[in-house]
Structure formats: C-alpha cells, structure tokens
Amino acid sequence: MQALLYVLGMEKMLSPSREVPVPHALTTFLMRDDESELAITNSFVELEIENGAGTIVTVRRPIKEAGIDTRLVTVWFGPMLTEPSKTAASRQFFVRDPGAFKREDGFLHFLEAFIGWDMPVVRKYEGPEGKLPLETVFPLFWVEQKRGWSTIPAAIPTYMRVRDVQKRAVEFILDLDVHKLELQRQRLKERIEDNARNWTSVIDEMMRIARRAGGTLTGLPPRPTADTDSLERWTISLVQNDETVVIETLLAALRARVAVLAEAKVPQVGETADALTAELEELGKEIDARNQKRIEVHKARQLKEADIASLERRIAQLGEDLQKNQDVQRLQRYAGTAGNLTPDQCPTCEQSLVDALISQEVLEAVMPIEDNIEYVRSQLKMFEDILQREQAEQRRLEDLGAVATTEINQLYTRVRTIRSDLLGPSSAPSAAVVEERVRIEARIRDLEALIASLADTANRLHTLSAEFAELLNAGRLIPSDKMTEDDKHKLDALTGSMRELAEAFGFTTFAPKDLTIDEDSYRPQKEGYEIGFETSASDAIRLKWAYQLGLLELARKYATNHPGLLLLDEPRQQSSSKVSFGQLLEHAAKHRGAQQQVIVSTSEDIDTLSPILARLECKRIIFNGYVLQPVQPQTNA
Amino acid sequence: MPPESPFLKALEGANFSFTARPEPVAGDLRMSWGIAVVLLSLFHSRGKKASFLKLQFLAHSIRTEDSREQVHAVLRGERKTSELQVRVEPWLNRAVAFAHGLKYVDVSKGKTITLTPLGQDVAAAIDATSDVLHHERTFLTNVAKRATENIVTRIWRMETLL
C-alpha cells in the first residue's frame, strides 16, 4: 500500500524525510514463501489509474534501478497493465524536488489536473500565499497503515507551513465556501487598507503643496469617504498682514486692484513725488514692524525646539522604563519556576517587604507592576500627544517665519523701486506704479497655479472615493455568516452520516446521536469537546471509519471535491470487534457502482473474513503468502 | 490656560480632597530587575564573581542606552575614562543584600561577590529566557568579561586604559 503512495509521489504525506518509504522487501532483500532471502537487484512500481472523465494512465516509478533516479516518474497515456501489448504516448515527470507541484514537468502538477482538482490558494506561515499541497488532502481518503490511524479525521502533515492546514484540507474535500469567503474578506480588508493609505498620501501631498506656497489646507476628509460632495469643500487660506484670508477672497482683492491700476494711466514721477516720499516713510515703518515680528517668531521657534528636544528625551526615557517594567513583569511571572526574585518577606528577618530597592521606610505602598506598566504607558501616550501638538505648532511657526521673510523681501523691492523713481528725472513714468501692477499680476498667476495644481491632485481623491464606494459595496455582498447555507447543509449531512455509521460500527463511549462536527476545526466533538483518542482506542477507530466513510457518502449527494476513492490500510486497528469490522466492510461495499471505490487491505485471518466476504458484493484479491514475489525469469518457450 | 477658561472658572471655589494612591516605582528600582541584573552581571563575569566596584560600574552603566554606549566607546578607546562618570547606585547594595539573603550569592570579606550553585541556576534560566532583559544581556555579554577588575579600577580612577 505504501508503494501505491510512493508511485504517486505522495511520500511527503508520511514524513518530510527524503527516504524511499517502502519496505525492505522492495529495496534490499525479499523473503520468499519458503522463508529464504533473495537480494533485490531491480524493483519499481507500476499503477494504472482512471479518472472521472474515463482517461486511463499508467504510472511507473523506479525504486531500485541502476542508473535511474527515483525522482523520475513515467506516465503512459493508456492502460499499459491491462493491455500490455498496446503502445501509448509517454511522458516523464519529476517528483519530490521543489516545484513538483508548481511546474509543468512536476508529477503532482499533472496529478492535480488528472484528478480534476483546482487546489485553492492558502495562506502560509511565512512567504507568499500558495496552493494547498496535495499531501494535505490525501490523508482524508487514504488511511496509511502506520500513522494514518492516529488522528481523527486524518493524519494531515503540518510541516508544510500552511496556516490552519487541517481546516483547509477538510474545507477543500467538502468543497465548502467558508475558505473562499474568508479569503474574499481578507483580500477586501487589504484593499480597503490600501485605499486608506493612498488617500492619506494624497492628502499629505496636497498639504505639502499648500504649505510650500505659505498656505494651509482645510476641509478635506482625513479618511476615505464615499461622499463625493465632501471632496469639493476644501479651501486654502493664506496669511496676509497677520490675518488668515481664504484664497478666493485674496484673489478677488488682487484682481480688483489690477483692474484699478490698468484703468489709470501711468503717472510721471514728478506728479507722484510727494505721495512716493510718504509711502517710502510708511514702508520703513512697516519693514521695522515685520522684522520685529520675524524676530519674535524666531524666538518662539527656538523655545519650541528646546521643548521638543526635551519631550523627545522624556519619551525615550519612558520607553526605556516601560521596557524595564515589562521585563520585571516577565521576571516575576517566571519566578517560582527557577527561583524567586521578588520576595515579599525579608529572607533573613522575615519582615514584610515592598517591591522596591529603595529604603523601605520611604514608601507607603508601591504600585503593583501591572498598574505601573499602565501608568508608564499612559504617561508615554500623553507625552507623545504633546509632542505631536508641539510639532504642529513648530510647523506653523516655520510657516509664519517664511511668510514674514517673503513679505519683508517684497517690501524691500518696493522701497528700491520708489527710491530709483525718486532719484530719476521727474518727467519719467513712475516705475513704482508699473512694478506694483506686475507684482500683483505675478501673484495672481501663482495663486491660480496653486489652485489648479491642488485641484489636479484632488481629482485623485475622486478616483479613490469611487474605489472606496465599490469596496464598501463588495463588503456588503459578502455574507456576514461564516458559512453559507450550502455549507451548513453539507456539514449537517456529514454529521448525520457519521452518527449513523458510528452507531452501526458499535460506537459505545457515548450515544452516537450526541456526536457533532465542530464548525471551526471540523473535528468530531461532543458538547463542544473534541473527541480524540481519549475515548477507548477501538471507539476512536470506529469514529474514524465513520468520518471517512461519511465524507465518501456525502460526495454522492453533494458536489464536493472528494475523488470518490477511500483506501483503508489495515483498518482493524486496536482489535475493534469482529462485528464492527464486518459492518465496515458491508458499508464500504455499498459504495460499489456509484462511481466510487473503497479499497481495504487487511491481514485478517481468512477464516474470519470468508463468512463476511460471502455476504458482500466486492472484488476480493487474496494473497496466499507474501504479497511481493520475485519476477519469474522469462523463458523462451 | 487662558483666564476666561470655563474649566478654570469651575475650579474656583471648589473643595478638593486627596486620596493616597500606591506610588509608581521606576522599573530599574524593582527588586526582580535589580536582582536579575546582579545575577546576570556575575553570570557573565569571569569565574562567576566580581568585586563590589565592578558591580557598581556595570550596574550604573547598564541602565540607559547612553550610558551603555559610553562604556562601549571607552572600551573601544574612542573616549577617555575621565569622560565616564560612574556613580554609586544605592539600589545595587540592596539588590546584592537580597540576593545574598535568597542564597543566590556569597559575599566574601565584604568585597567579592560570587554566584552560588543555586544562583548560577537562576542566572542561567534568566539568561536563557530570550524575551527578558534583551539590551542588558547584549551589553553584559560584550562588556562583563572584557571589563576586568583591573580595567574597572582604572576607569574608576580615571587613568588611561591603553
């Protein structure tokens, strides 16, 4: 039976080791019926299999053949064992090496397609998602003699790093929608998170653009929303003469001023000399005031910087203290296993102690370590919040400083123009008036460009918002129940079959009608407690028969991924009584003719078997002596 | 808080009463932390023993990231010993006293502290628990053996190391 697993490349179902999992009779020496030994010179396995579509292939894998690697599997696309004279196309595949399941030339890849399966994508403990390996599903219908009987429902290998591998395997065989739903939910969650990340980055970018232009952006929803109206309500405000002005108001004022300047003719310097002198004086005062302001801002910024540095120091210290407190908690918890590190009484004089290495008289009561950790955490949280606020204030001050500098520069430019006007001939046109108009026009252009560039970026929010609405919709479409109706029917049917079969097999630990199947682990349970081998060992075996035959029965009534094959190698484990063994065989025989096949191998006494088999309609192959026999040398008759 | 704040108004004329609460204690002043550090310091020192002077040096320098980095820099020769200010930590004496009471260490002549076999077991168990005292352990594995009694004395006296 192990050779059958071997030829199908399923040895990893048994263990992760790289050994050939077949008995010595196939690798080193063979016992003949007369108990003499014969060394093995050449051995291989050939198996003919037929799938649901009626395609027959013959698979051959060497065990011991000079010059041929055991990782090589040959497949003939025809029934080469039943009709040896036939010829058929053949192809070679590899097994056991990485890629045997993923790559075109891998035999497991071929086997998956041959059975007609499409293995689901599952999450792994590390690395990317991958397909559910065939080795994790086979144990649900292929009970191998050595380890196969040790667990219910099946000895599914766990070393393949698949998360919740038992669940995934049963879900696949039953073709439940649970896992699909779970995957859908997970993917949806990831997409929503992605959407939120993109949203934040767009908002951040817009904030940056606005800040670079000396403005602040308000009114945008900080988190994704499906409400597109709220996306239109953003405004930029700029600081103008110490006041915050909305950009549209500012633009209107500037446009009005340009219109006035454009209407009026450019005056000569002589006409405006007095006004220019007065303006010059005014400008001087204004520059002083602005400089004063800039110095104040600068001082405030220096103070903030010192504050921030001290806050950061404080946070780092708190972080260290938190770490130490957590260490203390762990050390205390583990005291008692290795040794006590926090005595509550002095080991010498038996006086009671408080948990601190400072003078005991100083302290009234010491906070328990759990509270202390919470206390440090809340402090940490508070200081982190303060830091954030201070950093925001710092940025605001930086903006104010930058605005003051630009304003001072503009004032100086104006001063220079007026001065050159005043020094020039009095009949020349006033450059100061022209300069003002050019300056204002340039400012209008800058502001318009700012609005346009922000609107461009804001358009991306519309796309994200549409995507968000779509994701919310998709979320509503996924049923909130873990299982679909169909899933529940299947599970109920499986529970029913399992109860009936358990009863028929003589399960006695408790009433079979109390058996249920856990919706999370799909293991049999009673009143919420999983049943394993803590029941009597023979009852556990009966339960396993019932579960696995139940899976096969289910496949007749519902669409599942069960291959319709059940292989039980030595099912009479733990000396389960003859009655129940007979029952097992009877129930197994019922699957005949329903496009299903149950293969049972046993070394049971022929006298016991014969009366049972006589009642059944089945194909029996009886080996009198060892199953493996040397190949007779061909004689040319 | 601005003077017109409603919160401030509400506080005016209110009666206050105070309830005593347990006091928080810094993590490095907790018994288990101090005793564990003493045990680990001895565990990583040559012969599982050290003088009070060395324990004071290790206990002071192990406490913060900065002080740990300073000691590394001095041992690497990048800083002068005079830049390292070693303080005497009162908690250390208490930690040693408790460890002694718990029979984890022996104190001979009031100078040298040695781990007892029981102390070695406890220290080894702490050392094997990877999720506690991570930074402290990294520091001690690097420094405890290199900082011999001789070097510690020189650091204490601010003499040059090389």
Side-chain angles (χ1 to χ4, degrees):
Chain A
M1 284 297 190
Q2 283 191 341
L4 292 183
L5 276 181
Y6 171 77
V7 70
L8 293 176
M10 279 291 145
E11 60 258 45
K12 279 191 184 163
M13 179 182 124
L14 306 174
S15 81
S17 78
R18 301 180 66 83
E19 285 163 33
V20 175
V22 289
H24 61 78
L26 281 167
T27 51
T28 43
F29 62 88
L30 182 70
M31 259 335 183
R32 277 190 286 200
D33 289 340
D34 58 6
E35 300 297 316
S36 61
E37 285 180 11
L38 193 68
I40 303 284
T41 51
N42 205 2
S43 63
F44 58 87
V45 195
E46 283 184 349
L47 177 69
E48 195 178 293
I49 46 177
E50 179 176 356
N51 67 7
T55 316
I56 298 176
V57 295
T58 308
V59 188
R60 180 189 207 272
R61 185 172 173 192
I63 297 172
K64 191 173 183 183
E65 274 187 85
I68 302 180
D69 199 302
T70 55
R71 284 169 295 188
L72 215 58
V73 173
T74 313
V75 173
W76 283 274
F77 296 89
M80 305 304 286
L81 293 181
T82 37
E83 296 171 47
S85 55
K86 261 198 163 177
T87 52
S90 72
R91 188 173 161 190
Q92 290 199 318
F93 295 94
F94 69 93
V95 285
R96 209 165 67 191
D97 281 351
F101 187 34
K102 280 185 218 144
R103 297 227 294 272
E104 195 92 327
D105 280 338
F107 178 70
L108 299 184
H109 183 87
F110 163 79
L111 190 63
E112 180 192 0
F114 181 78
I115 300 176
W117 278 343
D118 181 14
M119 301 310 284
V121 172
V122 289
R123 294 167 77 79
K124 304 219 167 172
Y125 280 111
E126 60 229 23
E129 293 181 345
K131 279 186 173 189
L132 183 68
L134 299 184
E135 289 91 338
T136 62
V137 175
F138 260 62
L140 284 165
F141 55 86
W142 193 305
V143 188
E144 175 270 338
Q145 189 194 129
K146 284 185 188 144
R147 258 154 297 204
W149 294 102
S150 59
T151 4
I152 306 170
I156 292 168
T158 49
Y159 67 88
M160 292 179 154
R161 319 290 304 150
V162 177
R163 280 174 197 259
D164 300 325
V165 60
Q166 309 255 3
K167 283 178 72 176
R168 298 290 99 91
V170 179
E171 279 163 8
F172 171 73
I173 280 290
L174 291 176
D175 194 18
L176 297 187
D177 296 324
V178 174
H179 180 232
K180 282 175 223 156
L181 286 182
E182 209 179 297
L183 263 188
Q184 271 177 19
R185 266 188 223 114
Q186 184 63 34
R187 296 239 167 86
L188 193 67
K189 197 171 149 228
E190 278 162 16
R191 283 184 61 197
I192 289 178
E193 278 164 12
D194 210 34
N195 183 275
R197 253 196 309 281
N198 288 336
W199 187 279
T200 325
S201 84
V202 171
I203 301 260
D204 283 352
E205 192 184 331
M206 288 178 73
M207 295 271 194
R208 259 202 311 281
I209 296 174
R211 271 191 54 209
R212 228 180 288 140
T216 39
L217 187 72
T218 47
L220 273 176
R223 257 172 273 284
T225 168
D227 170 22
T228 41
D229 286 347
S230 67
L231 299 181
E232 306 294 346
R233 289 187 214 124
W234 53 275
T235 48
I236 321 163
S237 340
L238 296 149
V239 178
Q240 186 82 17
N241 300 330
D242 288 349
E243 273 176 39
T244 318
V245 190
V246 178
I247 197 163
E248 280 79 15
T249 321
L250 189 62
L251 266 176
L254 290 174
R255 285 196 188 112
R257 180 70 189 147
V258 167
V260 170
L261 289 174
E263 289 273 311
K265 76 174 186 40
V266 178
Q268 288 186 345
V269 175
E271 295 166 22
T272 53
D274 288 345
L276 285 178
T277 320
E279 194 186 341
L280 200 56
E281 208 169 302
E282 199 54 41
L283 280 173
K285 282 183 197 152
E286 213 168 307
I287 287 175
D288 282 348
R290 289 264 175 276
N291 265 328
Q292 188 61 36
K293 166 109 181 144
R294 190 165 67 163
I295 291 166
E296 275 166 22
V297 169
H298 183 69
K299 275 187 193 155
R301 264 182 62 192
Q302 280 184 322
L303 277 177
K304 278 277 167 272
E305 255 164 43
D307 279 357
I308 288 176
S310 105
L311 276 170
E312 281 169 345
R313 255 199 319 276
R314 187 71 188 254
I315 289 173
Q317 276 170 4
L318 280 171
E320 275 192 26
D321 197 31
L322 182 64
Q323 179 62 51
K324 284 187 180 128
N325 272 300
Q326 286 168 334
D327 281 351
V328 166
Q329 196 180 28
R330 286 198 198 101
L331 284 166
Q332 287 186 359
R333 239 186 256 150
Y334 120 120
T337 60
N340 190 0
L341 293 173
T342 318
D344 47 12
Q345 279 190 327
C346 171
T348 314
C349 68
E350 307 278 310
Q351 276 190 68
S352 63
L353 292 173
V354 289
D355 178 21
L357 290 168
I358 22 187
S359 175
Q360 299 281 319
E361 290 94 57
V362 181
L363 297 164
E364 286 281 313
V366 167
M367 207 180 254
I369 189 71
E370 294 77 20
D371 294 355
N372 207 148
I373 288 178
E374 265 323 297
Y375 174 77
V376 176
R377 270 213 185 105
S378 61
Q379 273 194 329
L380 199 59
K381 173 87 179 62
M382 182 179 77
F383 280 111
E384 274 165 354
D385 287 349
I386 299 179
L387 179 66
Q388 260 183 12
R389 208 186 56 207
E390 293 291 276
Q391 280 168 335
E393 179 64 14
Q394 167 94 332
R395 276 196 295 275
R396 197 186 68 85
L397 287 174
E398 267 171 32
D399 292 349
L400 275 184
V403 170
T405 312
T406 342
E407 280 179 350
I408 290 170
N409 284 342
Q410 281 172 357
L411 291 174
Y412 274 125
T413 319
R414 182 87 185 137
V415 167
R416 276 194 297 276
T417 325
I418 293 177
R419 282 214 179 118
S420 69
D421 257 8
L422 288 174
L423 291 174
S426 61
S427 58
S430 170
V433 175
V434 177
E435 186 264 354
E436 188 188 357
R437 189 174 153 190
V438 171
R439 185 165 48 82
I440 293 177
E441 277 173 351
R443 178 84 174 134
I444 292 175
R445 271 198 303 281
D446 283 352
L447 293 180
E448 282 170 348
L450 173 65
I451 294 177
S453 109
L454 283 175
D456 265 2
T457 322
N459 267 339
R460 278 169 32 209
L461 288 182
H462 280 277
T463 323
L464 287 173
S465 170
E467 190 187 291
F468 184 68
E470 204 177 291
L471 290 173
L472 284 185
N473 261 335
R476 271 192 285 273
L477 289 179
I478 297 181
S480 53
D481 263 2
K482 227 172 70 128
M483 290 192 154
T484 58
E485 280 302 304
D486 200 27
D487 287 357
K488 283 184 189 145
H489 288 315
K490 282 184 188 170
L491 216 58
D492 287 346
L494 179 63
T495 314
S497 301
M498 188 177 71
R499 284 179 188 160
E500 274 172 34
L501 289 165
E503 176 128 38
F505 297 153
F507 182 87
T508 52
T509 308
F510 48 84
K513 66 174 171 45
D514 292 341
L515 275 170
T516 48
I517 292 176
D518 184 39
E519 286 193 10
D520 267 328
S521 64
Y522 309 115
R523 290 199 172 106
Q525 58 172 18
K526 190 206 174 201
E527 288 163 4
Y529 289 98
E530 258 179 37
I531 311 160
F533 278 69
E534 58 277 358
T535 63
S536 78
S538 55
D539 260 1
I541 295 293
R542 290 189 185 101
L543 195 57
K544 192 171 163 74
W545 295 347
Y547 196 102
Q548 298 222 331
L549 268 172
L551 285 176
L552 193 64
E553 267 184 17
L554 190 74
R556 291 204 293 205
K557 297 175 214 148
Y558 291 88
T560 68
N561 281 321
H562 202 289
L565 165 80
L566 178 63
L567 195 143
L568 304 172
D569 195 2
E570 287 291 1
R572 237 207 104 184
Q573 303 266 322
Q574 312 291 348
S575 312
S576 41
S577 72
K578 281 172 193 155
V579 184
S580 45
F581 185 54
Q583 283 285 339
L584 169 73
L585 295 182
E586 263 178 41
H587 280 273
K590 283 184 194 161
H591 291 267
R592 192 182 162 85
Q595 285 282 315
Q596 291 189 328
Q597 185 181 25
V598 182
I599 302 173
V600 177
S601 75
T602 179
S603 49
E604 190 63 37
D605 199 359
I606 188 78
D607 297 335
T608 325
L609 270 179
S610 298
I612 303 174
L613 293 179
R615 301 200 298 268
L616 304 178
E617 194 189 336
C618 64
K619 181 180 172 71
R620 63 210 82 173
I621 304 169
I622 292 160
F623 298 95
N624 298 311
Y626 289 111
V627 176
L628 296 173
Q629 295 291 336
V631 180
Q632 295 304 322
Q634 285 185 349
T635 45
N636 296 323
Chain B
M1 208 180 298
E4 71 278 7
S5 153
F7 184 56
L8 207 59
K9 280 239 160 60
L11 289 180
E12 276 172 356
N15 286 322
F16 294 96
S17 68
F18 296 93
T19 316
R21 301 264 179 228
E23 284 181 62
V25 170
D28 44 24
L29 287 177
R30 292 281 182 176
M31 270 192 202
S32 39
W33 193 87
I35 299 174
V37 162
V38 167
L39 294 183
L40 277 188
S41 302
L42 291 170
F43 188 71
H44 285 285
S45 294
R46 276 175 215 278
K48 313 275 182 241
K49 63 179 171 185
S51 64
F52 254 110
L53 214 59
K54 178 170 173 180
L55 281 185
Q56 284 289 3
F57 166 73
L58 289 176
H60 166 75
S61 35
I62 207 169
R63 282 183 52 224
T64 64
E65 173 94 55
D66 282 349
S67 57
R68 288 195 292 264
E69 192 34 52
Q70 271 180 10
V71 172
H72 280 306
V74 167
L75 289 179
R76 278 198 303 263
E78 290 165 12
R79 273 170 181 246
K80 284 189 236 154
T81 48
S82 55
E83 288 177 50
L84 205 63
Q85 287 186 348
V86 185
R87 281 183 220 146
V88 174
E89 304 279 1
W91 61 261
L92 181 101
N93 293 5
R94 293 205 177 86
V96 172
F98 281 123
H100 187 233
L102 291 166
K103 306 207 167 30
Y104 296 155
V105 297
D106 278 336
V107 183
S108 57
K109 296 181 190 162
K111 262 192 197 165
T112 313
I113 298 118
T114 320
L115 276 182
T116 61
L118 174 65
Q120 284 196 28
D121 288 347
V122 177
I126 300 171
D127 199 53
T129 317
S130 59
D131 57 348
V132 289
L133 303 173
H134 176 72
H135 295 300
E136 288 83 352
R137 223 147 14 101
T138 323
F139 175 77
L140 285 175
T141 38
N142 279 327
V143 170
K145 281 209 176 63
R146 277 170 63 200
T148 55
E149 296 295 338
N150 191 8
I151 285 181
V152 172
T153 316
R154 298 176 90 157
I155 290 175
W156 212 274
R157 289 182 190 154
M158 297 189 189
E159 290 171 6
T160 45
L161 285 185
L162 302 169

